[in-house]
Amino acid sequence: MAKKKVHLVLGSGGARGIAHIAVIEELEKAGYEIVEVIGCSMGAVVGGIYAAGHLPEYKEWILGLNRKGVFDLLDFTFAKQGFVKGEKLFAKHIEVTGNENIEDFDIPFTAVATDMRHHKEVHFKKGDLYKALRASVSIPGFFVPVVEDGKVLVDGGVLNPLPINLVKKEKGAEIVAVNLNGRPNSKYDKPPEPDKLEEMQKWFDKLLPDSMKSKRKTKAKVELPAEEESFSLIELMDSTFSFTQDRLTELTIEMYNPDHLIEIPRNACGVFDFDQGERVCDIGKEAFSKAMITKD
């Protein structure tokens, strides 16, 4: 009996993207053949490394990260376009899997980025994998953009966080989309550890004049009236980007309606909680079972 063919669309959502690893593994266990992968941001990272044939070693590395390991990968800078260069992170990716060119993959792969200068999406279907991934994950304000060939490239989630529209569906194949910005689940309301955004804000505060520093580091000691409470700069950046992604994702799902939609609750973990790999993989397995096995 021939395997069911699947076009796999992997969305953006930071560390929640570790759930993509579990989804891919569960699809293969269930007898599906993945005939195309289209990814945005962390979805591009996992999808691209899978299409290159290196998912097992990538999984071993990322699930081995602890809290210190995550911060050791962030090469902080104080550039006007962002405060993480990203070079250290992707040097590690290359160390884990080696250099790869997209056109050499057995499985067709597309990574989505956004060109801020020309206000349009950029689709990487060939060329250096890690250059494509570096562009696709460049969250505006956090990562320094990739500047290349007259383009200023940032996270694909700015315009298309779940790029279902890029699928060229084969006859008899199904579209499986993984949304990392699903409806919050109350069982994930309390994160297992302090939010890493606060730690990043503390680093950022060291570089700012007193008048611009976050006032929220005293929130454990002082309860501010609601009208006086404010978001830190990093919290505002994260929240604004997340809200936009949520709405764009909703509209995309309504318009393109995949055959199977696997949803990871947006409060499953924070954007930078890459030390929560095992837990996020378990959430991915659970979401797969709910969306795929129950439906089948």
Side-chain angles (χ1 to χ4, degrees):
M1 183 177 176
K3 290 183 176 182
K4 290 183 182 178
K5 294 184 176 181
V6 162
H7 297 270
L8 183 61
V9 182
L10 303 177
S12 63
R16 292 188 297 281
I18 297 172
H20 291 320
I21 297 173
V23 170
I24 290 170
E25 291 177 338
E26 294 303 307
L27 279 169
E28 291 190 329
K29 285 179 190 174
Y32 288 91
E33 178 188 356
I34 299 171
V35 297
E36 180 184 27
V37 181
I38 300 171
C40 176
S41 197
M42 190 59 183
V45 173
V46 174
I49 289 173
Y50 166 72
H54 295 292
L55 193 61
E57 52 264 52
Y58 178 74
K59 177 185 177 183
E60 181 180 1
W61 169 69
I62 202 164
L63 264 59
L65 285 175
N66 57 25
R67 198 173 184 84
K68 181 179 181 301
V70 173
F71 276 93
D72 285 347
L73 289 170
L74 300 178
D75 42 4
F76 290 109
T77 182
F78 199 50
K80 63 181 180 180
Q81 297 170 317
F83 58 87
V84 176
K85 289 186 282 187
E87 295 169 9
K88 194 173 181 181
L89 175 62
F90 279 94
K92 185 62 181 181
H93 280 67
I94 294 171
E95 181 184 322
V96 171
T97 65
N99 288 289
E100 296 287 348
N101 287 311
I102 296 171
E103 62 268 27
D104 296 334
F105 300 168
D106 292 333
I107 300 171
F109 169 69
T110 304
V112 180
T114 301
D115 179 2
M116 295 295 288
R117 179 164 289 160
H118 299 100
H119 308 163
K120 65 180 183 180
E121 293 179 33
V122 175
H123 305 145
F124 290 92
K125 296 175 179 285
K126 62 182 180 179
D128 184 275
L129 173 65
Y130 296 98
K131 192 173 288 184
L133 301 187
R134 173 66 183 83
S136 187
V137 303
S138 296
I139 300 172
F142 286 101
F143 286 97
V144 175
V146 173
V147 180
E148 184 179 68
D149 298 329
K151 302 182 183 74
V152 178
L153 301 173
V154 299
D155 197 301
V158 170
L159 291 178
N160 200 350
L162 191 63
I164 307 170
N165 61 306
L166 300 186
V167 173
K168 299 292 186 287
K169 193 173 180 180
E170 287 187 20
K171 186 177 179 180
E174 297 178 341
I175 298 174
V176 175
V178 186
N179 173 25
L180 301 181
N181 300 298
R183 188 171 298 175
N185 186 322
S186 59
K187 71 180 179 180
Y188 305 124
D189 279 347
K190 293 182 179 180
E193 293 184 16
D195 192 344
K196 291 175 185 61
L197 289 177
E198 288 190 17
E199 294 188 26
M200 295 183 77
Q201 182 66 51
K202 288 176 183 177
W203 173 88
F204 197 56
D205 281 345
K206 294 176 184 178
L207 303 177
L208 294 173
D210 290 342
S211 61
M212 294 179 64
K213 290 183 179 181
S214 168
K215 306 301 180 187
R216 298 198 56 162
K217 44 190 177 177
T218 60
K219 66 181 180 180
K221 298 179 182 178
V222 180
E223 280 295 326
L224 293 175
E227 65 271 16
E228 291 184 26
E229 188 170 354
S230 61
F231 289 93
S232 71
L233 176 61
I234 289 180
E235 287 172 322
L236 277 172
M237 288 162 55
D238 178 55
S239 298
T240 303
F241 188 56
S242 296
F243 294 161
T244 304
Q245 281 194 313
D246 287 354
R247 187 60 182 140
L248 286 172
T249 300
E250 286 174 11
L251 292 171
T252 299
I253 291 168
E254 287 175 15
M255 187 172 293
Y256 295 99
N257 192 25
D259 298 290
H260 301 277
L261 178 64
I262 299 171
E263 299 209 83
I264 308 300
R266 77 150 16 265
N267 64 336
C269 74
V271 173
F272 295 100
D273 287 342
F274 287 95
D275 57 326
Q276 299 295 315
E278 291 281 0
R279 191 176 68 86
V280 177
C281 267
D282 288 341
I283 292 169
K285 289 179 186 177
E286 182 181 333
F288 174 89
S289 296
K290 183 177 179 182
M292 300 290 291
I293 296 176
T294 303
K295 190 171 180 178
D296 289 345

